[in-house]
Amino acid sequence: MPTILSKGKIFFLCAFTLLISSQITYSQDEDSLEHHQVITYDTVDHNIVDPAIQNDHLDGEQHHEEMHANHDDEHAEGEHGEGGHHNDFSALLFVIIALIIGAGTRFALSKIGLPFTVALLIIGLGIGFLGRNEFFLQDFHLFGQSLDFSKLDNSIKWAAHLDAHAILYVFLPILIFEAAFAMDVHIFKKSFTNSVLLAVPGIVIALVLTALCMWLIVDYKLGITTWNWEMVLLFGTVISATDPVAVVAILKELGASKKLGTLIEGESLLNDGTAIVIFMVIFGGLTGNALGYSPFLEFLRVALGGVAVGAVIGYFGLRWMHAVFNDMLIEITIIVALAYLTFFICENTFHVSGVLGLVTLGLIMAGPGRTKISPEVQHFIHEFWEFTAFTANTLIFLIVGVVIAERTHFTMNDVWVLLAVYVIIHLVRAIVIAVLYPLMKRAGYGIGKNHPQVMWWGALRGAIGLALALIVETEPSIPPVIREQFLFLTAGIVTLTLLVNATTMKAVAQKLGLTSVSKTKRYVLDTAKDYVFRETVASIDNLEKDRFFKKVNWEAVGGYLPEDPDASKIQDIDDFKEESRRRILEKEKSSYWSQFKEGLISSSAYNLLVSEINDIIDSGGEKKLSDRGDLDELLDTKNSLRRFGFLKKFLSKRYIERLAASFDVAKGFYTSQQKCLKMLKELQAAAANEREESILKEIEGEIEENNIQALTFLRNFKNQYPNIYRHVSTRQAIRTLLNTEKSKVNELLHAGRITNEEATAMITDIESRMRNLSKEKMTKEDQTREKPKEAV
């Protein structure tokens, strides 16, 4: 869709918000709480479980019925009338209020500095406390008129008694998929081993140690006396799953290492899946629904099965996305539908891990899918998922706060146990990191000197743990006193880690120096500021000559000049060369995306170029910019053609496609080097001293080497494969022409020469020709004439 349809985008965001609300508006009033069937997250016996009436809340339900005694008939008619639909809009009211609170909280936090999710939890606790104490059922009067807030109280009760499976089925696909989709796949691959270490053996160690500590509390009768071994293992599993939403947001805000943030988030994504799978295996044994075979085999089946389902759906999703050309609504709808479909099929059809299925799907869409999604839609899709994640986090943390305030019951002994458990989980987390540290520092990127402290203190607990605790709380085979203690301890740990750990995370990160700017970056920034200051001051001379500025108060103008960085105090650094190379490499990488977005290089060429440059970026600028593979290696297919006799015709076709892709690679590589050379000239103009100039001159030589290599390849390619060269270069010329036409239409639109409707019609016509161009293949005649000498 053309970019001019901004109103349509806004409308789609609003529509999806209503979709989310409609998904969770099934009523949780007294009848639906009693009879509502939910598909449990049961990977053990694959049965549908109908939770019994929650005896712990009978008093609250009776009071809720008394509140509506005056309009029972109306309620019955709405609930059981034609079509069997409910007239209770409690869910919709809560969603509306929650979104208003979320927007207001985000606005207020720009000045306060409190983590967003923590603020929402506090507000949710406050709302739940007011609802629990029947604040909204009191008589309120304004200007002599009685105000009825009973519907608001109903909406709070709805949130407080929201079934745990609604959290899993409605919110989890959004949160898990968005986190995986937003990841840098290259960094995740490098961090994958460490994430798996923390998410699999790490969580097993954590749950066992936590269970042992809890058993000691039970054995010595230190506040808990009736738990059995299965319950302490179950609690260890629930409390070991991390939810670092607030921590990752803080690290991003502070500009900390992206590798650290990816590691923490990757661990959370994987250990959510691990924890839920282990939870269900233990929960099945506790409730008498365990299978006869090995729990370990069941764990493997559920975990690997989820990955397989996510991969299969991701594959078909990519094929479908590839067939769509630049249609925002279709492409977003496909991704949203696939995310929910993956979770549903995993949980209800194959009874495998929906979380791991979503992680797999998200990584496929973020990796190979990056070039299958239309480039012009790519940016908006990320914005769309940021919006949905914001909505989901707003709702879920407010609901968590309301649930904790409304549904937890405790004694003073429970509070002391809670404080003990809070200490225990931190001791256990420290042991896990210490045990795994020798392996983690050697895998992938490794971990930095101060990273373990952040990983330890930033291991928050969140909505997943609470949802699992709510599943336990609704299980009738477990004694009520145990269910209450289980829910209180889990909810209490979620609250404490958010209120204590999350709020102090910023100070911890700053204390550890994770937010401090390196000497190299400080030097580059200071020299850049010095250059900007000098150029800005010099521009005043030109302004003074302007006849319209003759009466200007130049002293007042000078007050708005940037601060003089004092070049004499800027300290020289040793690794200026490495930092300059890193910045040029990032420019080269962004150039590849721009070329792909404009249709000047193919998806295969883009993937090849980016995978190569990611490895060079990982070197930290120590490698020369010209120290990379030979472009001629892309043509090394002649041996494979000789090996296969009857497949030679098919392989010859693949050979032609490979040659066309190699041209895209060489042309894209050369174009990016030209942009890097332009950037280098700008750096040279801002050089602070002769040493910088000589370093930049050396780097210029490295870029020129790349240029020579690309031009040599293209010249040889033109001589050896003239038909392919003509076909591919013709396509590039056509695409360039169409891009120019499209940009001119947008210019006319912005200038007011044409209307929105006229621009849309013109751009639709241009994109139709672009779509036809993308499907165009070489003619059979050209392919026949183009057989390379080596293949004959």
Side-chain angles (χ1 to χ4, degrees):
M1 295 290 289
T3 56
I4 54 178
L5 295 180
S6 56
K7 292 181 180 178
K9 297 178 182 180
I10 295 171
F11 171 80
F12 191 80
L13 290 176
C14 297
F16 188 76
T17 305
L18 293 177
L19 173 63
I20 293 174
S21 67
S22 67
Q23 293 294 323
I24 56 179
T25 52
Y26 58 90
S27 177
Q28 294 290 333
D29 60 15
E30 51 273 18
D31 287 337
S32 62
L33 275 171
E34 187 173 4
H35 300 293
H36 177 64
Q37 284 190 333
V38 293
I39 306 296
T40 69
Y41 203 12
D42 191 349
T43 59
V44 181
D45 63 352
H46 318 322
N47 293 326
I48 296 176
V49 179
D50 183 6
I53 302 174
Q54 301 175 19
N55 294 325
D56 308 336
H57 305 290
L58 281 176
D59 292 340
E61 292 300 315
Q62 289 168 359
H63 176 75
H64 188 61
E65 291 173 3
E66 291 173 3
M67 265 173 37
H68 295 282
N70 294 332
H71 49 85
D72 277 344
D73 294 339
E74 180 183 347
H75 176 77
E77 181 182 351
E79 180 172 344
H80 304 292
E82 184 179 351
H85 294 292
H86 293 272
N87 256 346
D88 185 1
F89 293 101
S90 300
L92 181 59
L93 178 60
F94 186 86
V95 170
I96 294 170
I97 293 173
L99 291 178
I100 293 173
I101 290 174
T105 302
R106 185 176 175 86
F107 175 76
L109 290 182
S110 60
K111 301 177 181 179
I112 299 174
L114 191 68
F116 178 67
T117 53
V118 176
L120 290 176
L121 178 69
I122 294 172
I123 295 171
L125 288 169
I127 293 173
F129 178 79
L130 294 176
R132 184 168 184 164
N133 288 278
E134 303 179 356
F135 175 79
F136 298 106
L137 296 181
Q138 299 179 28
D139 291 331
F140 294 93
H141 296 275
L142 181 66
F143 303 119
Q145 296 293 324
S146 178
L147 301 178
D148 182 12
F149 288 104
S150 60
K151 287 186 172 56
L152 178 59
D153 187 75
N154 290 348
S155 70
I156 295 172
K157 291 292 187 295
W158 170 85
H161 295 93
L162 181 66
D163 190 270
H165 299 84
I167 296 176
L168 295 176
Y169 277 78
V170 176
F171 297 111
L172 209 58
I174 296 174
L175 298 176
I176 298 294
F177 180 84
E178 190 275 335
F181 185 58
M183 274 191 174
D184 186 311
V185 177
H186 176 73
I187 295 178
F188 178 76
K189 286 179 181 177
K190 292 282 189 176
S191 306
F192 179 74
T193 302
N194 284 340
S195 295
V196 170
L197 285 172
L198 289 168
V200 182
I203 205 168
V204 171
I205 296 170
L207 76 89
V208 170
L209 292 178
T210 305
L212 287 172
C213 293
M214 291 300 294
W215 185 251
L216 290 175
I217 292 175
V218 174
D219 194 42
Y220 285 96
K221 296 180 173 53
L222 302 176
I224 298 178
T225 59
T226 56
W227 289 27
N228 57 22
W229 180 241
E230 289 86 355
M231 282 303 303
V232 296
L233 271 177
L234 198 66
F235 181 76
T237 304
V238 169
I239 216 66
S240 297
T242 60
D243 184 9
V245 174
V247 170
V248 173
I250 291 169
L251 292 176
K252 287 180 181 178
E253 175 191 338
L254 297 175
S257 168
K258 190 175 182 180
K259 298 172 184 177
L260 175 61
T262 302
L263 172 60
I264 294 174
E265 196 160 21
E267 177 204 355
S268 175
L269 287 174
L270 297 177
N271 76 17
D272 281 347
T274 305
I276 293 174
V277 171
I278 296 175
F279 172 87
M280 285 306 163
V281 172
I282 299 173
F283 189 67
L286 186 67
T287 56
N289 297 317
L291 294 178
Y293 51 81
S294 168
F296 177 71
L297 293 178
E298 175 66 3
F299 172 81
L300 289 180
R301 184 193 72 80
V302 173
L304 298 180
V307 173
V309 171
V312 171
I313 293 179
Y315 170 77
F316 286 105
L318 291 184
R319 297 293 298 269
W320 191 2
M321 297 284 288
H322 187 62
V324 179
F325 185 82
N326 205 25
D327 193 315
M328 176 189 65
L329 297 181
I330 292 178
E331 294 181 52
I332 292 180
T333 302
I334 291 172
I335 292 180
V336 172
L338 290 182
Y340 277 97
L341 182 66
T342 298
F343 191 80
F344 189 83
I345 288 179
C346 282
E347 295 299 326
N348 289 276
T349 304
F350 297 104
H351 307 287
V352 294
S353 174
V355 172
L356 294 179
L358 284 169
V359 171
T360 304
L361 176 68
L363 292 174
I364 288 174
M365 288 299 175
R370 181 172 170 83
T371 55
K372 302 303 184 216
I373 300 170
S374 300
E376 293 186 17
V377 178
Q378 182 81 233
H379 176 68
F380 179 71
I381 285 182
H382 281 280
E383 288 186 338
F384 170 81
W385 278 105
E386 284 182 14
F387 168 79
T388 56
F390 168 79
T391 302
N393 275 314
T394 299
L395 290 170
I396 201 167
F397 279 95
L398 280 173
I399 289 172
V400 164
V402 171
V403 168
I404 292 172
E406 280 264 10
R407 292 178 63 171
T408 54
H409 304 272
F410 58 92
T411 64
M412 197 60 204
N413 281 337
D414 294 329
V415 174
W416 290 117
V417 174
L418 172 62
L419 296 177
V421 172
Y422 180 73
V423 174
I424 287 169
I425 64 170
H426 285 84
L427 290 175
V428 168
R429 179 70 174 177
I431 293 172
V432 169
I433 294 174
V435 169
L436 298 177
Y437 181 77
L439 295 174
M440 294 178 65
K441 69 180 182 180
R442 291 178 175 84
Y445 288 122
I447 52 179
K449 179 181 177 182
N450 294 325
H451 290 179
Q453 294 93 312
V454 175
M455 293 162 57
W456 169 67
W457 191 246
L460 312 181
R461 274 60 172 179
I464 301 301
L466 187 65
L468 297 179
L470 288 172
I471 291 176
V472 174
E473 199 256 354
T474 57
E475 173 53 48
S477 65
I478 301 174
V481 64
I482 296 179
R483 285 186 277 152
E484 286 185 359
Q485 288 176 326
F486 197 102
L487 179 60
F488 170 71
L489 291 177
T490 305
I493 292 299
V494 170
T495 305
L496 285 176
T497 55
L498 282 169
L499 294 183
V500 179
N501 298 51
T503 54
T504 57
M505 191 67 245
K506 184 174 183 179
V508 170
Q510 291 173 339
K511 184 72 175 177
L512 294 172
L514 296 176
T515 60
S516 60
V517 180
S518 66
K519 289 183 179 179
T520 305
K521 289 187 177 181
R522 172 57 58 190
Y523 174 79
V524 171
L525 183 60
D526 287 343
T527 53
K529 286 182 177 180
D530 179 62
Y531 172 74
V532 170
F533 178 80
R534 288 186 282 109
E535 290 297 312
T536 306
V537 170
S539 68
I540 292 179
D541 293 335
N542 293 328
L543 290 175
E544 288 177 339
K545 297 174 184 177
D546 193 317
R547 62 177 180 173
F548 295 106
F549 294 144
K550 293 295 184 182
K551 300 296 184 180
V552 167
N553 181 351
W554 293 108
E555 183 177 348
V557 172
Y560 285 87
L561 283 171
E563 184 180 353
D564 187 352
D566 192 357
S568 63
K569 294 183 180 180
I570 299 176
Q571 297 181 353
D572 204 354
I573 46 95
D574 297 327
D575 52 354
F576 175 76
K577 183 188 296 183
E578 288 76 8
E579 180 64 22
S580 299
R581 282 174 177 161
R582 280 196 294 268
R583 298 192 177 220
I584 290 172
L585 287 168
E586 292 293 345
K587 175 68 175 179
E588 181 180 341
K589 187 176 179 179
S590 68
S591 169
Y592 293 140
W593 177 251
S594 297
Q595 292 181 69
F596 171 71
K597 185 177 179 180
E598 294 171 5
L600 300 179
I601 60 174
S602 64
S603 60
S604 58
Y606 169 81
N607 290 329
L608 192 150
L609 288 165
V610 169
S611 64
E612 180 190 37
I613 200 171
N614 278 332
D615 294 331
I616 301 174
I617 291 174
D618 285 341
S619 71
E622 294 181 1
K623 287 185 177 180
K624 291 183 177 180
L625 297 180
S626 55
D627 187 9
R628 57 184 84 194
D630 193 345
L631 290 174
D632 287 323
E633 294 176 1
L634 294 171
L635 297 177
D636 189 21
T637 57
K638 55 183 180 293
N639 293 329
S640 61
L641 284 173
R642 289 197 183 106
R643 279 191 207 106
F644 303 95
F646 69 96
L647 291 177
K648 186 175 290 186
K649 183 176 180 181
F650 170 75
L651 291 176
S652 295
K653 183 178 179 181
R654 299 293 298 170
Y655 187 89
I656 297 294
E657 294 174 357
R658 182 78 177 273
L659 289 175
S662 69
F663 175 88
D664 276 354
V665 169
K667 184 66 167 59
F669 181 64
Y670 176 75
T671 302
S672 72
Q673 297 308 302
Q674 294 302 301
K675 293 184 178 181
C676 291
L677 201 58
K678 182 179 179 182
M679 174 183 174
L680 189 70
K681 296 296 184 184
E682 295 172 354
L683 292 176
Q684 288 173 335
N689 49 52
E690 292 182 1
R691 176 177 168 274
E692 282 190 17
E693 290 178 0
S694 101
I695 289 174
L696 293 173
K697 194 69 178 176
E698 181 183 343
I699 295 175
E700 182 180 0
E702 296 171 7
I703 297 176
E704 291 294 355
E705 282 186 47
N706 290 337
N707 278 333
I708 293 171
Q709 185 187 25
L711 289 172
T712 301
F713 178 90
L714 289 169
R715 183 175 61 251
N716 293 338
F717 188 96
K718 178 181 178 181
N719 295 332
Q720 192 172 4
Y721 308 100
N723 292 331
I724 295 178
Y725 183 89
R726 181 180 61 230
H727 172 75
V728 180
S729 58
T730 299
R731 288 185 72 242
Q732 286 207 354
I734 295 171
R735 184 63 194 239
T736 302
L737 189 69
L738 292 173
N739 286 336
T740 302
E741 182 182 355
K742 190 173 183 180
S743 67
K744 294 302 177 183
V745 171
N746 282 320
E747 285 180 15
L748 291 175
L749 173 65
H750 295 147
R753 288 282 302 277
I754 56 178
T755 65
N756 240 356
E757 292 74 15
E758 293 165 344
T760 299
M762 295 171 72
I763 289 177
T764 300
D765 174 63
I766 296 169
E767 290 183 347
S768 174
R769 283 177 276 155
M770 288 180 174
R771 187 184 301 109
N772 294 335
L773 178 64
S774 66
K775 297 177 181 177
E776 185 179 315
K777 306 291 183 183
M778 282 190 67
T779 64
K780 292 184 178 180
E781 181 183 358
D782 280 344
Q783 290 186 29
T784 303
R785 292 202 307 257
E786 199 57 277
K787 287 184 178 179
K789 296 177 182 178
E790 296 87 352
V792 177

